Structures are given as structure tokens and as C-alpha cells.
Amino acid sequence: MNHDLINDFKNAKTVAIITGAGISAESGIPTFRGDQGLWKNFRAEDLATPDAFRRNPEMVWEWYDWRRGKCAAAEPNAAHVVLAEMENYFDDFLIITQNVDGLHRRAGSKNIIEIHGSIWKARCTQCGNVFASEVTPLAEIPLKCQDCGGLARPDIVWFGESYDMGLLDRAFSFLSQSDLVLIIGTSGMVNMPLYLARHALDGNAVLVEINPEETSMSSMMHYTLRDSAALIMPELWQKIRNI
Ligand code: NAD
Ligand code: ZN
């Protein structure tokens, strides 16, 4: 591993991490792009949309319950665990994740922004109430609001929906002050990580990518590490701490 990369980590005080589905792949949670991510031959793009939910809330909830089952059966992997340890090492540390699986929190990370929401939360389409829903399989489908009995939906940002601007503002302002940003397991096919990375670059952050494949963000990076996150993160962490 490159000596300058390790030094950049050692000198960094404010560190941001951007994670995508790839970091959870080795925990057994499929990404949307791989074959494993298919459910009954539907693509995620045809299920994770307001239209699909309007047409068939039962089907969308069945798909989410299938995914919740996979998330519940999965354990955080070495990459999640290293990130939880890193939080105590750097002065300021924030994980900005596109993942909805809850594995960062289960690994022990505290400072997390889930920009796409959480598979463990639901939101009422009638009264707007957001509530935890952590049992899978669900007792009834579709899920109903605990307050008013209205139809509930996953508290997730679907394709074509807008982001929570409050959360994004926090992410962007942290990135503009970051010394180093590590981008793990995201393809950048959803454009937000690209904007986030560019914003950090404008603020003079060092950018590092961990991904076995080249992505739409690779050309922006100061360093690219082409292997799986669960392999690279422990090695990187050992070098940063001189072990
Ligand atoms: P993506 O599926 O578009 O891309 C995954 C990326 O991870 C790819 O670039 C791939 O090369 C890389 N990758 C695969 N295995 C890896 C590994 N072992 N280590 C490091 N990188 C690896 O994922 P995305 O960019 O996060 O976007 C997909 C969308 O789907 C997001 O909005 C996300 O909310 C959602 N999603 C979430 C989960 C989850 O919560 N675990 C799972 C699937 C999809
Ligand atoms: Zn309600």
C-alpha cells in the first residue's frame, strides 16, 4: 500500500466516509447491479419507486420484507468494523451512507448520515409519522401506521424522489471541511456520491476510492484501491496505526 496514502491518513483530522452497497456485499447483502439483487425477476428500478408503490403496495412491501430478511441475517464485515474503530481515532469523523441496511450502526459506528433512509423505518402516507419497524417477516403486509392505521411505506428515498435537504446540507458542509474522504463500494450510477466527492475535492480534500471496479468517480481520485473493502480496510487500518 502506497506510503503517501498512509501519511495522508495519519495527517488527516477531519475524515468523511461515503459508502454504498459494495461495502455490504461481503456481508451477503446483494448490490442492485448483481444477479443476486434480483427478486422474482423484477429490477430494483421497477420496485423502489413511488409509482410501483401506488400500483401495488403489497408487492413493494413483500420485496422490502425479503430484503429486510437478508439484512437481518447478515453481520457487519471487517470493513464496517474498521470504520467503527476509526471513529475514535480521528478528531472528526462522519459516515455518509447510501445503504439502508443498518450495518454501520450494528458495527458500532455512531456518526452516520443515512442519505437514502433506512430499511428499518417506515413512514405513514396519511399522517407522516415515522416509526421504527424492525420485525421481519412482517405480521401484515402492507404495513400500517401505528398511530392512525393509514398505509405506511418504507422510509427510503426511492428512484425519482428528492433527498432530505437537511441531511444533505449536513453532509455537504462536513465534506467541505474534510481533509480526507474515503469512498467505498459505490458505483456512482446514482449521481449523489459524485456530487459529494466533487464538493469535497473543491474543499481540497484528498480522495480515496476502494472498489474492485473502476467507477464514474475514479478519475477524480488521488488514490484508488482495487479490491474488496473487507480485505483492504483491515490492512489499511493496520498501516495507519503502525501495527
Ligand atoms: P451499486 O450497486 O450501484 O454499486 C455497488 C458498487 O460496489 C459497485 O461499484 C461494485 O463494483 C462495488 N463493490 C462490489 N463488491 C464490493 C466489495 N466487496 N468491496 C467494495 N466495493 C464493492 O450501489 P450503490 O452505488 O450504493 O447504489 C445502489 C443503490 O441501492 C443505493 O441507493 C442504495 O441505497 C441501494 N442499495 C442498498 C443496499 C444496502 O443497504 N446494503 C443494497 C443494495 C442497494
Ligand atoms: Zn399515520
Side-chain angles (χ1 to χ4, degrees), residues 123-129 131 144-152:
R123 185 167 82 237
C124 179
T125 60
Q126 298 301 311
C127 73
N129 176 33
F131 57 97
K144 301 279 168 51
C145 172
Q146 291 170 344
D147 273 5
C148 76
L151 175 65

Side-chain angles (χ1 to χ4, degrees), residues 106-140:
R106 279 175 57 199
S109 289
K110 303 234 154 37
N111 217 4
I112 309 163
I113 299 183
E114 294 174 312
I115 59 171
H116 285 169
S118 169
I119 206 160
W120 303 114
K121 284 190 199 154
R123 185 167 82 237
C124 179
T125 60
Q126 298 301 311
C127 73
N129 176 33
V130 174
F131 57 97
S133 161
E134 294 176 354
V135 176
T136 181
L138 285 165
E140 61 159 358

Side-chain angles (χ1 to χ4, degrees), residues 140-206:
E140 61 159 358
I141 281 182
L143 188 65
K144 301 279 168 51
C145 172
Q146 291 170 344
D147 273 5
C148 76
L151 175 65
R153 55 164 281 176
D155 190 28
I156 282 177
V157 179
W158 282 331
F159 292 104
E161 290 190 314
S162 31
Y163 283 82
D164 177 325
M165 288 314 289
L167 288 186
L168 271 194
D169 280 351
R170 270 177 59 207
F172 275 109
S173 79
F174 192 92
L175 287 166
S176 64
Q177 290 160 36
S178 294
D179 303 313
L180 189 146
V181 180
L182 179 57
I183 298 148
I184 309 174
T186 180
S187 66
M189 290 196 24
V190 179
N191 278 329
M192 190 48 69
L194 198 77
Y195 302 139
L196 294 168
R198 194 169 292 145
H199 194 74
L201 194 61
D202 290 344
N204 284 325
V206 172

Side-chain angles (χ1 to χ4, degrees), residues 20-22 26 30-33 98-101 116 185-187 211-212 229:
E26 275 159 296
T31 68
F32 280 171
R33 320 284 163 204
Q98 293 181 280
N99 293 347
V100 297
D101 55 35
H116 285 169
T186 180
S187 66
N211 197 312

